[in-house]
Amino acid sequence: MKEKIEEILAEIENFKAAKASDIEDARVKWLGKKGEITALFDEFRTIAPESKREFGQKLNLLKKAATDKIEQLKASGLDAIASKGAAFDLTKPGDALPLGSRHPVSIVREEIVEIFRKFGYDVAEGPEVEDDYHVFEALNFPPDHPAREMQDTFFVTDKDQSNPILLRTHTSSVQVRCMENMKLPIRVICPGRVFRNEAISARAHCIFHQVEGLYVDEGVTFADMKQAILLFAREMFGPDTQIRMRPSYFPFTEPSAEVDVSCNICHGKGCNICKGTGWLEILGCGMVDPNVLKASGIDPQKYSGFAFGMGIERIAMLKWQVKDLRNYFENDLRFLKEFETNI
Ligand code: DAH
């Protein structure tokens, strides 16, 4: 045992590492589970009691010498190896990692939020898993409205129980939460993900994104709404953009309208993006129905407001002429990389 200890000790003293892996190899050889020093410790258990003191000390010193040597080599190893210049060149620039790009839906969402933030709107978010009250009832949907059917809405709890839990079908539910919780006047923009029980195709998806807007104060008029939407459209699609409003119906607004912007591809001449009409539909809007204000405890005699909602994917499709909605969800790098310059 004595000779073996001296032999290893000499080896430790003379050991030199030429490359980083030599240090690890030496550690395994001496101190690994099946290493030489480890084996000596096993052998130590079997030696005569009177020799234990002497060999115990020697063995501990040997183990310490090996550990110190490894530590010392590790600490100085890179410098020593680099100064030899053989193994690798530390001054060589690394390989650049490819940068990711922002998703087109995120780019457009931030653009919309930024435009309204400049007009003084706050940003609010609400839960994606909602109850019937916030998605339908407080928004003046009658109990038998078709949007509440299973073929349109994903229910989390039994649809026939009172106030079932469901995945929100629009971000209008966040309007209700804002009216319940925020101090008047309210000027807020609510981006988020919504869910509808739709078959997936180029033009429809069961998950998509919307931005909801809401403005409630004393004396808010339809003219205020028209001006806010016109300013938004010009920021988003360019300063020459025109808008037009068509009468429409939503349970939560009265009167309601759908808004088209002049086609920014053909500038009104008619092309295949606007299907020859010169106009592109971008959002729904209207004056908040008095019943909706009342449901959230706001006095409709004193206050009025407007609301609007738009699909983010739809705006992005118009902006970049994306023809198939499924592109937004498939994470195909060839598609996503097209937006690299928009970081
Ligand atoms: N919630 C409607 C939808 O999902 C969009 C909408 C229309 C929101 C009119 C509004 C509005 O706030 O006033 O299609």
Side-chain angles (χ1 to χ4, degrees):
M1 186 175 232
K2 196 169 165 207
E3 291 83 70
K4 184 74 185 158
I5 292 176
E6 270 156 21
E7 191 187 308
I8 302 176
L9 207 51
E11 190 184 326
I12 292 172
E13 264 165 31
N14 297 325
F15 182 77
K16 289 197 178 53
K19 52 187 188 310
S21 64
D22 290 352
I23 305 173
E24 177 59 12
D25 289 347
R27 190 194 63 77
V28 172
K29 180 167 185 275
W30 297 326
L31 298 165
K33 260 199 196 139
K34 294 186 183 143
E36 291 168 0
I37 299 176
T38 317
L40 284 179
F41 271 94
D42 287 342
E43 199 184 322
F44 175 72
R45 277 194 241 123
T46 63
I47 63 174
E50 59 275 17
S51 313
K52 279 216 157 146
R53 197 183 151 84
E54 185 196 343
F55 282 117
Q57 267 177 359
K58 283 207 160 80
L59 263 181
N60 282 331
L61 285 174
L62 178 67
K63 186 172 179 184
K64 185 166 183 324
T67 317
D68 288 352
K69 181 81 178 191
I70 301 279
E71 287 307 311
Q72 175 209 334
L73 284 171
K74 272 192 190 159
S76 66
L78 284 182
D79 293 346
I81 291 162
S83 66
K84 272 199 199 162
F88 49 83
D89 177 3
L90 284 176
T91 62
K92 201 178 156 203
D95 291 335
L97 286 174
L99 260 191
S101 53
R102 300 243 315 287
H103 194 281
V105 169
S106 305
I107 295 169
V108 172
R109 182 193 59 216
E110 269 157 46
E111 211 172 315
I112 297 170
V113 166
E114 218 28 67
I115 292 170
F116 281 99
R117 223 206 288 264
K118 274 197 275 181
F119 301 162
Y121 284 65
D122 291 326
V123 180
E125 285 182 14
E128 292 177 351
V129 181
E130 256 294 5
D131 56 13
D132 179 280
Y133 178 81
H134 289 89
V135 176
F136 297 124
E137 194 177 330
L139 288 165
N140 204 33
F141 280 75
D144 54 353
H145 193 281
R148 277 191 164 108
E149 290 301 315
M150 303 262 249
Q151 52 284 19
D152 289 310
T153 301
F154 290 114
F155 285 89
V156 174
T157 58
D158 183 359
K159 152 184 186 329
D160 295 319
Q161 75 181 55
S162 78
N163 198 21
I165 306 295
L166 40 83
L167 300 186
R168 67 180 179 196
T169 57
H170 54 181
T171 43
S172 302
S173 53
V174 191
Q175 269 192 41
V176 179
R177 292 198 174 268
C178 291
M179 286 192 276
E180 287 170 346
N181 297 316
M182 291 169 80
K183 278 220 314 249
L184 291 158
I186 297 170
R187 221 190 271 116
V188 77
I189 189 102
C190 323
R193 200 154 55 146
V194 301
F195 308 84
R196 287 189 197 168
N197 196 354
E198 300 257 9
I200 296 171
S201 71
R203 315 202 67 211
H205 208 286
C206 55
I207 303 176
F208 56 100
H209 299 80
Q210 288 188 330
V211 173
E212 187 79 14
L214 175 72
Y215 181 20
V216 183
D217 198 356
E218 285 181 51
V220 176
T221 68
F222 199 97
D224 295 326
M225 175 171 79
K226 189 176 167 199
Q227 191 60 20
I229 293 172
L230 177 64
L231 286 176
F232 161 72
R234 292 194 167 160
E235 291 276 327
M236 190 76 206
F237 297 104
D240 302 329
T241 307
Q242 304 291 325
I243 63 167
R244 74 172 183 187
M245 293 182 142
R246 288 176 286 106
S248 185
Y249 173 77
F250 300 101
F252 35 93
T253 44
E254 184 58 37
S256 308
E258 267 163 321
V259 177
D260 300 339
V261 291
S262 50
C263 179
N264 59 346
I265 313 293
C266 64
H267 302 285
K269 287 192 205 76
C271 66
N272 63 348
I273 301 290
C274 61
K275 303 206 184 70
T277 63
W279 296 97
L280 301 161
E281 186 190 323
I282 56 156
L283 56 81
C285 64
M287 301 305 291
V288 181
D289 193 292
N291 283 342
V292 173
L293 294 173
K294 236 188 281 172
S296 299
I298 296 174
D299 180 2
Q301 300 296 336
K302 190 165 175 213
Y303 292 98
S304 58
F306 64 75
F308 55 86
M310 64 188 112
I312 300 182
E313 283 82 355
R314 170 141 186 96
I315 306 267
M317 281 172 112
L318 298 177
K319 196 174 156 73
W320 289 299
Q321 284 113 62
V322 177
K323 300 252 163 50
D324 192 327
L325 195 53
R326 289 168 291 196
N327 284 320
Y328 291 119
F329 301 96
E330 282 170 357
N331 283 335
D332 184 332
L333 284 179
R334 289 168 302 179
F335 173 73
L336 296 177
K337 275 187 172 295
E338 293 189 26
F339 303 92
E340 248 171 9
T341 49
N342 289 289
I343 289 178

